[in-house]
Amino acid sequence: MTASQESHLARIKTEFTALVDAKYRQGAVEHSSKQEDELLQVPALRILDHAIDETIDLVAYLLSLKEKLTTELTA
């Protein structure tokens, strides 16, 4: 890889580490009063259901962003 690609990858990894740390901790706080307070204690199918829900949200965000960018770029 080029030096530019290595630098880009390093920035992505740094940002991801910060984001996943914050998101995981937020989830731990949000679920601390529920029976599912430990992610590894949640039944596998429930984790899968949560992942599917998150994926649906992601697609909605991406399609909305695409529509917004298309509108802004053509304005």
Side-chain angles (χ1 to χ4, degrees), residues 45-57:
L45 286 177
R46 187 163 299 137
I47 293 173
L48 179 59
D49 286 339
H50 290 313
I52 290 168
D53 288 343
E54 293 292 332
T55 302
I56 292 167
D57 287 346

Side-chain angles (χ1 to χ4, degrees), residues 15-49:
E15 175 112 11
F16 178 79
T17 298
L19 291 170
V20 73
D21 186 272
K23 179 70 171 155
Y24 190 97
R25 292 174 189 281
Q26 177 185 348
V29 169
E30 290 173 0
H31 296 278
S32 65
S33 63
K34 301 177 184 174
Q35 293 177 340
E36 301 179 351
D37 62 340
E38 294 283 335
L39 183 56
L40 292 176
Q41 303 303 317
V42 178
L45 286 177
R46 187 163 299 137
I47 293 173
L48 179 59
D49 286 339

Side-chain angles (χ1 to χ4, degrees), residues 2-28:
T2 67
S4 176
Q5 289 170 319
E6 290 289 355
S7 179
H8 183 221
L9 177 58
R11 292 192 307 275
I12 290 170
K13 289 165 57 176
T14 298
E15 175 112 11
F16 178 79
T17 298
L19 291 170
V20 73
D21 186 272
K23 179 70 171 155
Y24 190 97
R25 292 174 189 281
Q26 177 185 348

Side-chain angles (χ1 to χ4, degrees), residues 62-75:
L62 290 171
L63 291 174
S64 297
L65 179 58
K66 181 178 182 180
E67 182 178 329
K68 184 172 178 59
L69 288 172
T70 300
T71 300
E72 291 174 359
L73 293 174
T74 59

